[in-house]
Amino acid sequence: MAFETIPKPEDVRASAALTDEIRAHFTWENARAMLAGLPGGKLNIAHEALDAQVAAGHGGAPAMTWLGKDGTRREFTYEDLRAQTARFANVLYAHGLGVGDRLYGLMGREAELYIAALGTLKAGLVFSPLFSAFGPEPIRTRMEIGEAKALVTTASIYKRKVAPWWRDLPSLKAIFIVGDEAPEGCVALGPAMAAASPDFAPVPMDPEDTALIHFTSGTTGKPKGAVHVHGAVAYHAMTGRFALEMAPGRRYWCTADPGWVTGTSYGIIAPLVNRVHMLVDEADFDLDRWYSTLQTEKIEIWYTAPTAIRMMMRAGDAAAAPYDFSALRFLASVGEPLNPEAVVWGKRVFGRPFHDNWWQTETGGIVIANTQAMDIKPGSMGKPLPGQVAGIVERDGDGVRECKEGEIGELALRPGWPSMMRAYLHEQARYDKCFVGGWYLTGDLAMRDADGYFWFVGRADDLIKTSGHLIGPFEVESALIEHEAVAEAGVIGLPDETAGEIVRAYVCLNPGFEPSEELEKSIRGLARRKLGPAVAPREVVFRNTLPKTRSGKIMRRLLKARELGLPEGDISTLESDES
Ligand code: AMP
């Protein structure tokens, strides 16, 4: 079924942050001019987010409303967050940590996580968020790669996922535990914060100094640590305004978890830099809770994701009918393909369509978007933001060839925007491989139409997106073969109506083991314990053999094609040993 373009009503066009005029006159200097900066060309993300806002007289403005799972409500002004993050920075220094050290955050959407992230940046340390639903193995791998110096977590996560192994990580000097008590060897954050001074001048950083490391999955090998710098904040400021309509005082809700890049770039940095009033809900998705939060908190800008939207759609229009969504002025979605039906459904139920936008961990911020001032073509990710040049290319020997309108190829970007990753930690060759012929290759397949709109087609590699989480099949396969019965494993994503894709594993058994329901349960159980439920396969299927290349690499795409009943010819030739 074809979907008609949704034109913007004139009143919205006039009030939209990104007009054609701004697009035409945009420069990176203009974007950087949005920042306060520090003397000598230095800056600090936390200074932009908090201290500069307070210095400009906005200390009393609401910065964050935090809703606890249990109904608790906490309000923070910009001055509250400035002081709390200063205390946190002082605590870090008091424990012997300093500029450039890497601190990992591992907890759900607790207010302390937001304070820790910004306090870390304020102190000149590097912040690396971890998804709290990860099991011990992905946590350990990422902390080892990044030579973690410090960790902030909760007592319960510490006990279940960190306590058994952290003493084997020689780099780790301090573990901070939220609350008033801490297990032996750890620091209780409550008393430490209370004893610390609420004053700390943000450390002046070079715009190219590392601020954040976001881990993302690769198809092969270990996860990659994408390095992002303090200067990225110019891009967060600009895209918050242009792609998400942020403006001082607007009530904004980003439902993404700060364990992933969206929850940091647009769940912490962009909103505060744009002085919005952000809402943080500790609880996970719950239909009535979400609808009543939109109504009661009078949310104006809502940044969410397709899996959640599909769950809302499944509940039907009637479930939304009792609520008043009239405060909403802009709805956006990211992370997975947004079904065209969902765009139209948003307009019907919330009075506004969802605006899809596209980006990835490596880009640090939104690159392609449906902005408020654009007509929406449901199903399209939109157009490149100002300063971005996007193309569709095909790899051609050592270079690339640009594809024609309507032709499917790999989505490519001209490097150079402020929030682009600067490296994969310790992996120069892997980083260099992303750049060909002056383009950064994204790993996504897409198409550009005659009007310059981009359409997502799929991944060019084997990465899996399940409920918005990017999963590397290799990490899952590695955990599966640790089961005594498993000889080899191939992991793929299969289409799923709600989650986008679900993780399915195919395993061959070692001699002496027979397929059984019990064994399937035991293999899945081990994967859940090691990887966590968000990453572990939903299904494990027994096979006598798995399709392989000549050098013995499992051909995941062929496995998937067989499963989906697709023609195999093209796929098997595509799947070289090098891919
Ligand atoms: P991550 O690095 O975990 O944020 O995942 C980035 C990947 O998610 C992209 O490379 C895409 O494959 C996918 N993705 C992000 N946004 C969209 C979107 N709007 N439509 C389709 N896929 C998307």
Side-chain angles (χ1 to χ4, degrees), residues 216 260-262 333-338 356-362 381 442-444 456 458-459 465 468-470:
T216 184
W260 302 95
V261 71
T262 305
S333 163
V334 72
E336 320 154 51
L338 180 66
D356 189 16
N357 58 52
W358 178 98
W359 58 291
Q360 55 182 192
T361 303
E362 286 83 348
M381 315 189 281
T442 66
D444 279 359
F456 179 82
R459 290 283 318 181
K465 258 278 158 120
H469 307 138
L470 195 69

Side-chain angles (χ1 to χ4, degrees), residues 367-379:
V367 174
I368 294 176
N370 287 283
T371 67
Q372 180 85 301
M374 276 166 60
D375 298 337
I376 298 179
K377 294 193 189 187

Side-chain angles (χ1 to χ4, degrees), residues 32 43 205-211 227-232 418 422:
R32 291 198 182 95
L43 48 67
M205 305 299 286
D206 188 273
E208 286 301 304
D209 281 339
T210 303
V227 173
H228 292 280
V229 297
H230 276 272
R422 297 299 195 272

